[in-house]
Amino acid sequence: MFKGLQQKWKVSGWQLLLIITTFALGGSLCGYSGRKILGLFAIDSSLPRVILYLLLITLLWPLCVLIISIPLGQFAFFKTYINKIGRRIFGKRRQTTDNKPQEETTTVHRPSSFVRIAIFASGAGSNARAIINHFRNSPAVKVALIVSNKPEAGVLKIASTENIPSLIIEKEKFFRGNAYVDELKEKGIDFVVLAGFLWKVPSALIKAYQNKIINIHPALLPKYGGKGMYGAHVHEAVIANKETESGITIHYVDELYDHGSIILQAKCEVTENDTPESLAGKIHTLEHLHYPTAVETLLTKH
Ligand code: GRF
């Protein structure tokens, strides 16, 4: 049963545990608050009491579950879940009373209502995967395209398993042609997310997507940024300099390497025992935690 739920909601085992805990605690909070509020009304007869109680817990349940989901880090999941239930209930109810076809009565999120993002990546694509997972059920944001300069990049396998269109780009056209701007516009791309993309972004693309291209860097910029500072080189330099902390930087992309204004930074400790590999692991954990939510905040909360 748990495996089935995991597949249905496309979550990890750990997240499923947190979701079930949220349901349990949210349900208890809802029952408790319902009884407290019921106590404020002086109703003796049992049928109206039961009806009022049922009404109260129906109204309180979404609120209680959302409140509990915040400290357990499951707010995004429950927001989408409750929205879906709402759409189902209210969509269907109107359909039966108005007797109109379903398209006119339910909220249909047509592709044009999504913010369509393209993820540019040259490597394994673990950040791309985290972003795809995060927006899988999103009514607002859609990962519409994966772009890579490397035909053998792991990220392209992810795109194919996830049925996301992909585009392999060529150097000549990227740097001396139109930087694929026409193709991106044709595919309705609104926002570009770089996730381990190793080519510099040409100015034609930056101009076409002003303040709409962001990048993640595996260190605390402005330190350990610039040409040649990518992947293991960054972590080796951090360890060689005996830094006691490192982290991630999410920033807008401008015409210089790792230079645009900073959106978010998060830190982790660097210990004497850390190797470039162990530090890369810590950095990846931070990236997967923060990059998807940073994209969501930029695209939906402004
Ligand atoms: C990440 O560490 C990111 O900070 C850097 O490239 C790496 C990409 O990793 N820009 P992955 O391909 O997403 O696993």
Side-chain angles (χ1 to χ4, degrees):
M1 171 191 154
F2 291 122
K3 269 265 164 284
L5 280 178
Q6 236 180 296
Q7 275 162 7
K8 186 174 169 206
W9 290 334
K10 300 190 175 66
V11 293
S12 64
W14 174 242
Q15 193 185 354
L16 183 65
L17 183 68
L18 291 173
I19 290 170
I20 292 172
T21 311
T22 307
F23 272 119
L25 294 178
S28 311
L29 178 64
C30 171
Y32 175 80
S33 337
R35 281 194 298 280
K36 282 276 165 211
I37 297 175
L38 196 64
L40 301 175
F41 297 91
I43 305 173
D44 296 330
S45 119
S46 61
L47 186 63
R49 264 183 84 82
V50 171
I51 294 173
L52 182 60
Y53 181 67
L54 289 178
L55 195 68
L56 278 172
I57 56 171
T58 309
L59 293 174
L60 286 171
W61 184 83
L63 184 69
C64 293
V65 163
L66 282 177
I67 290 171
I68 298 291
S69 73
I70 297 170
L72 292 180
Q74 299 309 313
F75 185 76
F77 174 88
F78 278 93
K79 201 175 100 187
T80 312
Y81 184 83
I82 288 167
N83 265 339
K84 250 189 208 165
I85 296 180
R87 279 204 301 276
R88 261 186 221 157
I89 296 172
F90 296 112
K92 277 193 185 141
R93 189 194 287 164
R94 268 208 271 152
Q95 191 179 356
T96 50
T97 51
D98 294 348
N99 207 19
K100 283 181 185 165
Q102 191 161 356
E103 296 91 289
E104 291 178 39
T105 53
T106 28
T107 312
V108 177
H109 290 282
R110 293 185 179 82
S112 60
S113 67
F114 286 107
V115 178
R116 292 168 65 81
I117 64 176
I119 302 179
F120 281 49
S122 307
S126 69
N127 279 285
R129 188 193 293 283
I131 294 169
I132 293 166
N133 286 342
H134 186 80
F135 290 116
R136 193 182 301 283
N137 297 317
S138 168
V141 178
K142 183 181 179 74
V143 178
L145 183 67
I146 302 288
V147 178
S148 185
N149 57 320
K150 288 204 175 158
E152 70 283 5
V155 73
L156 291 172
K157 289 201 190 78
I158 298 176
S160 117
T161 334
E162 296 284 345
N163 278 324
I164 298 172
S166 57
L167 175 67
I168 300 174
I169 55 174
E170 283 161 12
K171 213 168 201 165
E172 183 63 23
K173 182 165 171 182
F174 194 55
F175 292 108
R176 278 173 284 280
N178 73 343
Y180 290 86
V181 168
D182 300 342
E183 284 82 350
L184 295 176
K185 295 282 176 189
E186 243 166 50
K187 292 176 196 303
I189 299 303
D190 304 299
F191 197 82
V192 172
V193 176
L194 309 186
F197 182 63
L198 294 181
W199 282 355
K200 197 162 179 245
V201 179
S203 53
L205 191 52
I206 292 172
K207 286 206 180 84
Y209 284 90
Q210 284 281 343
N211 286 324
K212 288 180 182 161
I213 308 179
I214 62 168
N215 181 41
I216 189 160
H217 186 76
L220 297 169
L221 292 174
K223 285 168 113 181
Y224 304 105
K227 198 167 182 344
M229 273 295 163
Y230 62 89
H233 301 297
V234 178
H235 309 312
E236 280 158 11
V238 166
I239 289 172
N241 285 345
K242 301 203 180 317
E243 297 284 0
T244 53
E245 60 178 22
S246 187
I248 60 164
T249 304
I250 297 169
H251 64 95
Y252 286 104
V253 171
D254 66 10
E255 278 151 32
L256 303 174
Y257 270 119
D258 305 323
H259 180 263
S261 55
I262 290 174
I263 299 161
L264 179 150
Q265 289 189 307
K267 293 179 182 174
C268 63
E269 195 190 355
V270 183
T271 66
E272 282 176 3
N273 299 328
D274 266 321
T275 61
E277 292 73 32
S278 67
L279 182 54
K282 289 182 187 176
I283 295 289
H284 262 123
T285 305
L286 279 183
E287 292 182 335
H288 302 161
L289 187 68
H290 292 285
Y291 208 14
T293 48
V295 174
E296 182 171 35
T297 306
L298 284 175
L299 296 182
T300 60
K301 314 240 157 67
H302 286 295

